[in-house]
Amino acid sequence: MTRPRHLSLSAAALALALPVLLSACGGSSEADEKPSFDESAPLHSALPKELQGEKSITIASNVEYPPFEFLDTDNKTVLGIDREIADGLEKQLGIDIVFDNIAFDAIIPGLASGRYQMAMSAMTDNLERQKEVDFVDYFAAGAGIMTHEADAGKYTTLADMCGTSVAVVKGTTEVPQAEEASKQCEADGKEPIKATVFPGQNQVILALQNERVDAILMDSAPGAYAASQTEGLVMSKPYESQPFGIVFAKGTDELQQAVQQALQALKENGDYDKALAKFGLESGAIDEFTINGGTQ
């Protein structure tokens, strides 16, 4: 999930990247400026009893993945598709949703340990992750390749990456994909893929810009958005498709079902589609919000 390149970031990209880079060194929660607690909200009674009396719920997120989540220029306010959807969930559930900005690979351990009950961070729902957490799927996503415009037609599938260097973000599905693709390259008598793992999306983009890597393997939706904000970079069509899900600790079935109902309500009132359209990702909209729909 990220992209490589040598040119400097555009002004628009810097506006997104710099606040995130400043926040990446620690976990910080967004300010709770718009209280949404409302016992009369349509689905407040669907929440677990222990949450119905709470004013807010703190959820885990790696706020470094535009357009799904990123920090505004105040380095505090969370913006993006996930925040827009969370705003809609607040109205349906009558409880504030506060984002806690932590490392991506710390999210599942945080859920498994009970520190968080829920996370929103554009996480791919797959069978391996379902062993530890549950998902309510809310977006149709695909993995793709980001590279320089000059190489746009050169790198379109994982098979094209044999003998190249790629950047991937720690904890993402692209890490094992790169490993498996490299093994296949060698089995086919070709040079392996040299994959370098970075802590976040901004770091992989900088690696590509500085020509440390030939390409980035990342989710195509945020990749397409980042490429549109960064001169000279392009994102391939997805080479693989899997759903993104809101993530839950095991044993939180009642909360999962409440969020699932809330998402369906947002779909019916148009707020869900508006959140995606605001960032040009209408193509990833889904009609049904399946629990643990990932099959790969």
Side-chain angles (χ1 to χ4, degrees), residues 31-286:
D32 186 12
E33 297 175 350
K34 298 180 180 179
S36 302
F37 179 74
D38 181 4
E39 293 180 339
S40 65
L43 292 170
H44 188 76
S45 61
L47 287 169
K49 286 287 192 291
E50 63 270 20
L51 289 180
Q52 290 182 23
E54 297 293 327
K55 301 296 182 183
S56 65
I57 180 172
T58 299
I59 67 173
S61 184
N62 179 228
V63 188
E64 187 181 337
Y65 205 50
F68 284 89
E69 58 274 322
F70 56 95
L71 293 177
D72 201 353
T73 53
D74 63 3
N75 200 36
K76 178 175 65 174
T77 304
V78 177
L79 303 175
I81 290 172
D82 283 352
R83 181 66 261 183
E84 296 279 335
I85 291 176
D87 288 347
L89 295 178
E90 288 179 336
K91 295 175 184 177
Q92 294 296 320
L93 298 171
I95 190 170
D96 296 345
I97 295 176
V98 180
F99 283 61
D100 191 17
N101 184 19
I102 65 174
F104 186 83
D105 63 342
I107 291 175
I108 288 181
L111 290 165
S113 69
R115 180 179 179 185
Y116 304 101
Q117 293 177 297
M118 178 174 161
M120 291 185 75
S121 200
M123 185 178 290
T124 302
D125 174 5
N126 60 35
L127 296 178
E128 186 64 28
R129 286 172 173 161
Q130 288 173 21
K131 296 175 183 178
E132 298 182 87
V133 294
D134 291 323
F135 294 86
V136 176
D137 299 330
Y138 70 108
F139 187 82
I145 300 165
M146 178 183 283
T147 189
H148 302 278
E149 288 180 346
D151 295 326
K154 186 177 179 181
Y155 305 130
T156 59
T157 69
L158 289 177
D160 297 329
M161 306 314 298
C162 297
T164 69
S165 59
V166 302
V168 291
V169 174
K170 184 178 181 181
T172 65
T173 55
E174 287 78 22
V175 175
Q177 285 176 359
E179 293 173 353
E180 290 303 313
S182 185
K183 292 178 183 178
Q184 187 60 52
C185 289
E186 292 186 285
D188 293 338
K190 301 177 182 178
E191 291 295 316
I193 298 171
K194 181 182 178 181
T196 303
V197 180
F198 292 85
Q201 178 170 307
N202 293 312
Q203 288 82 6
V204 291
I205 291 178
L206 289 173
L208 181 58
Q209 291 178 310
N210 294 330
E211 296 186 347
R212 292 176 59 190
V213 295
D214 299 308
I216 300 167
L217 303 184
M218 65 183 298
D219 296 316
S220 59
Y225 179 79
S228 72
Q229 301 294 306
T230 313
E231 183 183 355
L233 294 186
V234 292
M235 190 73 197
S236 73
K237 292 182 180 180
Y239 58 76
E240 179 183 274
S241 181
Q242 292 191 75
F244 280 171
I246 299 175
V247 202
F248 298 82
K250 290 288 187 181
T252 58
D253 295 8
E254 196 172 2
L255 177 59
Q256 294 171 37
Q257 291 164 12
V259 171
Q260 184 185 40
Q261 292 178 60
L263 284 169
Q264 195 61 50
L266 297 182
K267 180 70 176 182
E268 292 170 2
N269 69 20
D271 285 350
Y272 167 77
D273 291 303
K274 287 178 183 176
L276 299 187
K278 185 172 181 178
F279 296 91
L281 292 183
E282 301 95 321
S283 61
I286 59 176

